Amino acid sequence: MPNKQVIVLGLESSCDETAAAVVTADKEILANVVLSQTDAHAPFGGVVPEIAARAHVTEMDRLVDQAMTTAGIDYSDLSAVAATAGPGLIGGVLVGLMTAKAIASVTGIPLIGVNHLEGHALTARLCDDVPFPYLLLLVSGGHSQVLIVEDVGRYRRIGTTIDDAVGEAFDKTAKMLALGFPGGPAVERAALKGNPDRFDFPRPMKGREGCNFSFSGLKTALRQAREKLGDAATEADISDLAASFQKAAVESLIDRLGNALNIFIQDYGLGGSLVVAGGVAANQYLKGSLQTLADDAGIRLVVPPAKLCTDNGAMIAWAGIERLNAGFTNTLDLAARARWPLDPSAEPAPFAGYKA
């Protein structure tokens, strides 16, 4: 393999996946190794930060070796090493970033600190030909945001959650309905068997101006409906609750995103793309609704494959390539960050639930 080819090793450890990947500037994923910690966190119904950090420490070196072996390259073939530098659980972020610093120090290749959210934001450009600018719906366990992606490192946030992220709402719904962990896929599976019109849950913020989201009221309505059923709740009841919640959450997202599309089209005209990223982007019910919205608006919908929607090293490696091409590298004193907004100039969310 020619040494001059741009190849980047990417490390991800911001939450409960330990991941390492090797990607080329030609968009070839030479290796993409992901170790999920689902079984370790399942008994607690959510991610336990210290358990996650210990797992990253234990597994990261092994996964890096596995990725390099699978890619069939040597460290001398690398153009740079990229790692998530935030936002995320700080103990985990430190593991990946320190590992990348060690590799950069020993090999002399550039270090690139990647914003985890930028990794999600740019994944569509790894999977498809998506030119700037494009509209991005970023939906995950910790984030619900709408941004206009103007270029690498240039993001304009036009909407965010004022309380809970939609992925967090899915996780807590799964916990209330005893569906297991991780919550998003569990709710989606249960919803397939349910009646989405049985429970008339609210569509938070629907019909209002702007692009902000809210999901706390929807969670409260679900909890009240579940408590009303009590111990007599059947499997069919639980499936109906899951389906009704999913429909309400998705309709709320679609309503807010409709406003965002109007803003994007007004500023940039037709012919752009609507990109969906983050773990919740793997939800097929959401994807179908988004396709209808995009078709009606005359804009292209781009959703990365499910394995690249959830946290992975390939998205970090690709973001590293994008940043390297733009001339953005970091020194070895780069600090890990628990919070790191993509658009630092954006107005704060109206209420205290916003997670940067």
Side-chain angles (χ1 to χ4, degrees):
M1 184 171 295
N3 288 337
K4 291 186 178 179
Q5 183 181 19
V6 175
I7 306 174
V8 172
L9 169 67
L11 310 182
E12 158 60 23
S13 57
S14 65
C15 192
D16 60 334
E17 277 91 19
T18 312
V22 180
V23 178
T24 76
D26 293 330
K27 302 186 177 182
E28 184 179 3
I29 300 175
L30 301 180
N32 190 22
V33 185
V34 181
L35 180 65
S36 173
Q37 301 174 13
T38 298
D39 291 344
H41 299 286
F44 306 97
V47 177
V48 180
E50 293 207 5
I51 292 176
R54 285 198 297 270
H56 292 313
V57 169
T58 301
E59 301 292 347
M60 180 59 80
D61 288 351
R62 181 180 67 82
L63 264 63
V64 170
D65 287 342
Q66 184 178 344
M68 294 294 289
T69 299
T70 301
I73 64 171
D74 188 75
Y75 286 95
S76 61
D77 297 315
L78 292 174
S79 306
V81 55
T84 297
L89 302 176
I90 195 64
V93 172
L94 280 166
V95 173
L97 183 57
M98 293 303 292
T99 302
K101 286 183 179 183
I103 293 171
S105 178
V106 170
T107 62
I109 60 176
L111 169 71
I112 302 172
V114 173
N115 185 312
H116 176 82
L117 305 182
E118 185 169 50
H120 282 303
L122 297 176
T123 297
R125 288 170 53 82
L126 168 62
C127 306
D128 208 328
D129 181 19
V130 183
F132 299 115
Y134 54 88
L135 185 66
L136 170 69
L137 173 65
L138 179 58
V139 278
S140 67
H143 304 275
S144 293
Q145 299 180 24
V146 183
L147 304 109
I148 295 175
V149 181
E150 297 175 336
D151 205 337
V152 177
R154 288 175 48 203
Y155 303 91
R156 175 182 158 203
R157 199 193 77 204
I158 59 175
T160 186
T161 180
I162 64 174
D163 42 55
D164 300 324
V166 64
E168 181 182 0
F170 268 90
D171 287 341
K172 290 184 177 177
T173 292
K175 197 168 185 177
M176 283 188 275
L177 300 182
L179 292 174
F181 178 82
V187 171
E188 185 177 11
R189 286 192 299 270
L192 289 173
K193 301 179 288 184
N195 174 9
D197 298 314
R198 177 177 170 187
F199 296 94
D200 186 19
F201 291 142
R203 275 63 171 164
M205 308 289 285
K206 186 175 181 180
R208 297 191 189 183
E209 293 183 356
C211 309
N212 286 340
F213 307 97
S214 172
F215 295 100
S216 63
L218 174 56
K219 284 193 319 181
T220 299
L222 173 84
R223 176 177 55 79
Q224 292 171 340
R226 176 64 186 91
E227 290 174 350
K228 188 174 181 179
L229 290 171
D231 294 337
T234 64
E235 182 178 346
D237 292 329
I238 298 301
S239 294
D240 290 346
L241 284 167
S244 299
F245 163 81
Q246 179 176 256
K247 182 178 181 181
V250 168
E251 287 188 359
S252 179
L253 284 170
I254 295 298
D255 175 79
R256 315 313 297 151
L257 195 57
N259 291 349
L261 275 171
N262 290 336
I263 293 171
F264 181 78
I265 292 171
Q266 180 179 341
D267 289 352
Y268 298 100
L270 292 172
S273 298
L274 167 60
V275 171
V276 190
V280 182
N283 183 288
Q284 293 302 302
Y285 185 82
L286 172 61
K287 185 177 179 181
S289 299
L290 288 169
Q291 187 65 66
T292 299
L293 176 69
D295 290 344
D296 290 343
I299 197 168
R300 184 172 66 133
L301 176 68
V302 179
V303 184
K307 66 181 181 180
L308 296 180
C309 287
T310 53
D311 294 350
N312 64 90
M315 72 179 192
I316 303 303
W318 177 253
I321 288 171
E322 294 261 34
R323 294 189 69 80
L324 184 66
N325 288 340
F328 301 142
T329 60
N330 298 98
T331 58
L332 294 177
D333 61 355
L334 175 67
R337 301 173 64 174
R339 294 180 180 273
W340 188 4
L342 276 179
D343 180 5
S345 64
E347 290 290 330
F351 301 111
Y354 170 59
K355 298 179 179 179

